Amino acid sequence: MTKFQPQNARELALTALERIERNGAYSNLQLDQLLKKYPLEDKDRRLATNIVYGVLQHKLTLEYWLDSFVDERKLDLWVKILLLSAIYQFHYLERVPNWAVTDESIKIAKRRGNPGIRKFVTGVLHAVLRKGLPALNEIKATSQRLSIQNSVPKWLVNELLTQYGEENTGKILQSINEPAHQVVRVNLAKTTVPAVKQALDNLKIEYHKSEIAMDALVITKGEVITSDLFRDGKITIQDESAMLAVESMHIKPADKVLDACAAPGGKTVQIATYLSANDGGTVEALDIHQHKVSLIEKNAQRMGVSDRVDAYALDARKVDERFEDESFDKILVDAPCSGIGLLRRKPEIRYTKQLADSMQLHKIQLAILNAVAPKLKKGGIITYSTCTILQQENDATVEAFLSQHPEFELVKTTTTRKVKDSRHSATLTILPSDFDSDGFFISSLKKGL
């Protein structure tokens, strides 16, 4: 890769997008790294962030539009990204003047490339502004149109159409391109919801209560991660739909709980909030990687619940190495999954996943459930959850487990606020379009007496 050094917001966004495309780097990590190395003023920082996430989110749409202006010419990666970024700004950033986008893009092409590239970029951008972008609603095939309109790969559109129907699929696809909310969970081990509300009011941070999770506040304006509230462990960042997995476990103070796939520990510390060390309540938290176990421990310390948390580096499929049968009252398997429910938060993963990944993950999920099942006491419940909405990893995994374990039965998942309680299924699926939250799946598997 060329030793190009970004000097402004658009150049930094170009560099981030090029590295994400070339190296498969996570967008948030790559962007954070570049912003630390090349600090920008707040306004420029927001612009760079907007461009990076916007181009990733709308990549297939932008590529469809660009294709009609470049005549199948093979472009250097950075040139293609520069043009996609400019088209994104033309179409989606109403407050940014087209002349400013054009001028800056041509300057970048001149600084980084040769006169021929500068001339080509100039010609394409002027043609886009002169002719306008091709209409997407003229694409005839439904799955192709939905794929291009929403920038979601065709295989995923087809799966959603099969599993949820055209109306629900349209709503899901539209919702995943909306901005992700920042949500905080109030840590009841250290404070109360009214106390946190008062502190947020004092900081002039705007918020509203979650309609689905009990201890959640949705932040609508302001930054909480740099606040004393966060530093002191009185709040933590956690999506409201993810909070429902632990909420649905109905944990009692003296419970012995296993969190089988725990890192980075968000649900572990949420479980610990409901436990009492004085009553013997503990949560054993496992992750396959030692460095992630350290994250769990740091999280527990910040949140003031480390006296109820024991974290180990252990593959959940090997729980026999550490725990005896019937050791736990409750078990959480928040399983490794495709993450399709997180597309608004991690837009790039839509382009790297394939249906075969879900089928492989299904096998891993089932192996974990099979391994932990003997560790549950009779009458106890395994809560199996994922952050995907694909049935191959959700209901299909639950059904496969139940077919192999007649001693278990599927019971209805319930939450404090009775989320989607009128549904027909025992399992609970939160679609991204239901509450503008992440997509999530929760099921409750009860072991017979």
Side-chain angles (χ1 to χ4, degrees):
M1 193 190 299
T2 181
K3 296 290 185 183
F4 180 71
Q5 302 292 313
Q7 294 181 358
N8 57 46
R10 290 182 174 87
E11 289 182 344
L12 188 138
L14 170 63
T15 304
L17 287 163
E18 187 178 5
R19 290 183 183 181
I20 292 162
E21 183 76 23
R22 209 181 282 278
N23 306 328
Y26 281 122
S27 55
N28 59 333
L29 300 179
Q30 190 59 66
L31 191 56
D32 287 349
Q33 183 183 330
L34 282 167
L35 286 168
K36 283 176 185 170
K37 190 172 181 180
Y38 306 103
L40 298 172
E41 292 182 6
D42 282 350
K43 184 178 75 169
D44 291 331
R45 186 187 183 94
R46 286 195 298 273
L47 177 60
T49 302
N50 189 322
I51 292 171
V52 169
Y53 284 109
V55 171
L56 288 172
Q57 210 156 38
H58 300 284
K59 181 182 169 189
L60 299 185
T61 312
L62 297 169
E63 287 179 339
Y64 178 81
W65 281 332
L66 178 61
D67 284 348
S68 63
F69 293 96
V70 297
D71 300 323
E72 297 184 358
R73 172 171 170 169
K74 184 162 178 56
L75 306 177
D76 287 346
L77 180 60
W78 74 266
V79 176
K80 178 183 175 182
I81 292 171
L82 178 63
L83 291 169
L84 294 177
S85 301
I87 294 173
Y88 168 74
Q89 292 169 78
F90 287 156
H91 186 76
Y92 293 101
L93 301 189
E94 294 177 359
R95 295 183 180 180
V96 179
N98 289 344
W99 66 262
V101 176
T102 306
D103 185 55
E104 283 288 329
S105 300
I106 293 169
K107 284 179 180 175
I108 292 171
K110 182 179 180 181
R111 199 164 84 78
R112 181 160 179 182
N114 56 43
I117 289 174
R118 178 193 59 75
K119 186 177 178 182
F120 172 73
V121 167
T122 303
V124 170
L125 296 184
H126 286 163
V128 169
L129 292 174
R130 187 173 66 253
K131 296 178 183 178
L133 298 168
L136 303 179
N137 56 10
E138 293 177 3
I139 302 171
K140 289 188 171 60
T142 300
S143 60
Q144 176 75 357
R145 185 179 70 255
L146 289 172
S147 171
I148 298 301
Q149 281 178 332
N150 300 284
S151 194
V152 172
K154 201 170 169 183
W155 75 265
L156 181 52
V157 172
N158 286 330
E159 280 303 306
L160 294 175
L161 285 169
T162 300
Q163 295 179 20
Y164 295 104
E166 190 171 339
E167 184 180 351
N168 275 332
T169 296
K171 291 176 182 176
I172 292 167
L173 294 176
Q174 184 177 355
S175 75
I176 61 171
N177 287 324
E178 296 294 327
H181 299 301
Q182 185 176 65
V183 184
V184 300
R185 181 175 62 78
V186 177
N187 180 14
L188 300 184
K190 281 193 170 185
T191 186
T192 63
V193 173
V196 168
K197 283 181 169 182
Q198 184 62 59
L200 291 173
D201 289 341
N202 293 342
L203 292 168
K204 302 289 191 289
I205 291 173
E206 297 177 11
Y207 61 90
H208 62 76
K209 285 195 75 172
S210 165
E211 62 178 299
I212 59 172
M214 278 301 291
D215 307 323
L217 298 172
V218 180
I219 306 301
T220 55
K221 187 177 180 183
E223 185 57 67
V224 295
I225 204 158
T226 54
S227 69
D228 289 345
L229 282 172
F230 182 82
R231 191 196 66 218
D232 297 341
K234 292 179 179 178
I235 59 171
T236 192
I237 308 297
Q238 189 176 5
D239 189 76
E240 49 199 318
S241 60
M243 296 179 205
L244 296 180
V246 174
E247 217 180 271
S248 75
M249 294 173 74
H250 307 294
I251 291 164
K252 296 171 183 171
D255 277 344
K256 307 285 187 187
V257 184
L258 174 66
D259 187 354
C261 312
K267 294 181 183 68
T268 304
V269 296
Q270 187 183 359
I271 290 168
T273 301
Y274 299 108
L275 298 173
S276 166
N278 292 335
D279 293 332
T282 57
V283 52
E284 311 283 343
L286 312 181
D287 191 84
I288 198 167
H289 301 294
Q290 181 59 53
H291 72 278
K292 291 190 175 179
V293 172
S294 300
L295 288 177
I296 298 169
E297 291 171 337
K298 285 178 184 174
N299 219 338
Q301 286 167 3
R302 183 176 68 85
M303 302 296 280
V305 293
S306 54
D307 59 339
R308 290 153 261 178
V309 175
D310 293 312
Y312 310 100
L314 182 68
D315 187 328
R317 291 167 289 187
K318 299 178 180 178
V319 286
D320 271 339
E321 294 177 8
R322 187 163 196 109
F323 304 110
E324 295 183 2
D325 287 355
E326 299 188 16
S327 297
F328 298 101
D329 300 291
K330 296 182 172 77
I331 295 176
L332 173 63
V333 176
D334 187 46
C337 72
S338 58
I340 298 300
L342 307 178
L343 290 187
R344 76 175 81 196
R345 223 171 274 285
K346 297 179 178 178
E348 69 273 22
I349 66 174
R350 68 184 80 186
Y351 311 116
T352 60
K353 303 293 183 184
Q354 301 292 333
L355 185 57
D357 297 329
S358 285
M359 303 311 296
Q360 184 59 35
L361 285 161
H362 164 82
K363 295 176 185 175
I364 295 169
Q365 293 155 354
L366 187 56
I368 294 171
L369 284 171
N370 287 336
V372 303
K375 308 307 166 190
L376 185 69
K377 295 177 184 177
K378 291 181 175 65
I381 288 180
I382 296 176
T383 298
Y384 171 74
S385 64
T386 72
C387 55
T388 189
I389 56 172
L390 293 179
Q391 291 170 4
Q392 290 90 337
E393 302 174 59
N394 294 343
D395 288 295
T397 299
V398 168
E399 288 164 12
F401 173 77
L402 290 171
S403 71
Q404 297 174 26
H405 294 271
E407 74 276 22
F408 279 83
E409 65 169 325
L410 183 64
V411 297
K412 187 169 184 176
T413 296
T414 59
T415 65
T416 311
R417 290 206 168 129
K418 304 186 185 306
V419 175
K420 296 181 79 169
D421 240 19
S422 61
R423 69 189 188 276
H424 298 297
S425 62
T427 60
L428 174 60
T429 300
I430 307 287
L431 300 176
S433 50
D434 287 338
F435 305 103
D436 289 330
S437 66
D438 290 344
F440 217 81
F441 172 84
I442 311 168
S443 59
S444 306
L445 303 157
K446 186 172 183 178
K447 194 173 192 177
L449 295 171

